[in-house]
Every structure is written in structure tokens, then in C-alpha cells.
Amino acid sequence: MKTWDDARRHLVLMLALTFTTGIVDAVGYLGLDRVFTANMTGNVVILGMALAGADDLPVLGPTLALVGFLAGAALGGRVLRTAPAGWSDRTSGTFAATGVLAAGLGIGALVAPPVEATTWAFVVTTLLAVAMGLQAATARRLAVKDVTTVVVTSTLTGLAADSRLAGGTGDGWARRSLAVALILVGAAVGALLLHVGGERGVGVGMLFAGVLALVAAVLGHAHREA
């Protein structure tokens, strides 16, 4: 029973982080010159089109986001390499670091809203990508099935390929559907925050996402396995 409770708790917390990813990517793409700080597939595609000469597509922002994400994921892999399975103290620490970094950047962006193509905007982009890389590496280590917190392409593939329509059993459809729905709703919330908050919407979105990540880290730590 305890194992089932742990698995269900981990799933709920990873779904919450998936929701924050939607917020972060929305405010990044719409407020930081079309840059994804969590969805690296989008950055690679944007960068490829920009390098091919497509008009008005950024190069530096996606590049910095890729570098930052890889750095954060490498850091997470290093910290968690020898951590015990399941939710450990190190898991709590890395998720908390993600939340602190996102919330800190949000506060900084509220004080000094980032302007596209400025040094401050590039700093925000890079550090936010570091935070999301760290989150992705930690979620990967926790290994909640079908929920990576940063992408849903594989989730959608599993949802369709394992469905009854495809001749499968349909197992896992609820968690997969929730992951897709939550990143969708998160993106809508992020866009709404930008619309309502204007130039400070980026800061509000990052702060909100950071606080939610911190709450997830605290709840996970409180109920971590012995």
C-alpha cells in the first residue's frame, strides 16, 4: 500500500510540475523573443530555421537556452547519480533549486522587466533553462511513467499507440491525458498572465511557476521514502 501511495504522490507532483512547464514556456516564448526554456525540441527547430535564413527568427536566445538546459540537466545528473531510488533528500534539493531559481528570476523580472534581445533577457533565458534542465533530469531520475514534466510528444505517442483504437489496452490513458491537458492549461495561464501583466507578466509567470515548484518540492520531501 505504501508503494502505491508513493507512486500516486509522485505522479501528482510531476503533473503539477508539468503545469508549471506550460507557464514557463509560454512566458518565455511570448515574452523572451520566441525562446522555449523547457521544450528543447522547439528550440532546435527554431534554431535550424533561423540558421537557414528564415526571417525574424532568433539565434542567440535558442542557443543560450539549449546550453543552459544541458548544463542544468548535467548538474542534476551529477547530483543524483548516487542518490537512492525514489524521492530522496537530493530529489527534494534539486526540485527546490528549480523553484528557487525560477522564483528568483521572477522577482528580478518584476523589478527590471526583461526587454527582448538585451543582456538581461538573455541572462533570464539562460538561467531559466538551467532550472528546467535540472527539473527534467530530476523527473527522469524519479521515473514517473509517461510524465517527464517538460515534453508531451512521447506521452501523446503512447496515448495513441496504446489506445483501444490502435488495438492496445488503453492503460495509462488518464495520466497521459492529464499531462497533456496540464501543459496546455499551463501555457494558457502563462499567456494570460502576460496579457494581464504587460511587461511584468514574464516576472509574474516565473514567480508563480517557481512557487509551485517549491511547494511540490516541500510536499515531496515531507512524504519522502525512508
Side-chain angles (χ1 to χ4, degrees):
M1 179 63 70
K2 183 179 186 299
T3 300
W4 168 247
D5 288 342
D6 288 338
R8 183 167 53 184
R9 185 181 304 112
H10 294 170
L11 172 62
V12 170
L13 294 176
M14 293 308 96
L15 287 172
L17 290 174
T18 301
F19 172 72
T20 68
T21 294
I23 297 174
V24 166
D25 261 347
V27 298
Y29 187 83
L30 298 174
L32 295 172
D33 193 20
R34 288 170 293 178
V35 175
F36 294 107
T37 53
N39 178 13
M40 292 301 111
T41 302
N43 279 335
V44 171
V45 172
I46 289 173
L47 188 57
M49 293 188 293
L51 292 175
D55 292 339
D56 299 326
L57 285 178
V59 173
L60 184 56
T63 301
L64 291 173
L66 282 167
V67 172
F69 187 91
L70 289 172
L75 176 62
R78 170 69 70 175
V79 171
L80 297 169
R81 185 69 57 197
T82 58
W87 195 299
S88 65
D89 290 342
R90 295 189 194 180
T91 306
S92 300
T94 49
F95 276 140
T98 295
V100 168
L101 191 50
L105 288 170
I107 293 171
L110 286 173
V111 174
V115 178
E116 292 182 5
T118 62
T119 300
W120 174 228
F122 291 135
V123 169
V124 171
T125 295
T126 305
L127 292 180
L128 192 56
V130 169
M132 300 312 295
L134 184 59
Q135 175 181 298
T138 307
R140 181 175 182 269
R141 173 72 177 182
L142 198 59
V144 174
K145 186 178 180 181
D146 301 317
V147 185
T148 67
T149 76
V150 292
V151 293
V152 293
T153 302
S154 58
T155 305
L156 283 167
T157 302
L159 181 64
D162 295 338
S163 67
R164 295 186 182 277
L165 183 63
T169 62
D171 290 345
W173 70 268
R175 71 170 63 198
R176 289 165 173 167
S177 299
L178 275 172
V180 175
L182 284 170
I183 204 167
L184 174 70
V185 173
V189 169
L192 182 61
L193 289 174
L194 278 174
H195 178 71
V196 174
E199 64 176 8
R200 286 185 166 75
V202 173
V204 173
M206 290 189 293
L207 179 58
F208 184 32
V211 169
L212 286 179
L214 279 171
V215 170
V218 169
L219 291 176
H221 184 74
H223 298 282
R224 68 193 182 283
E225 295 85 347

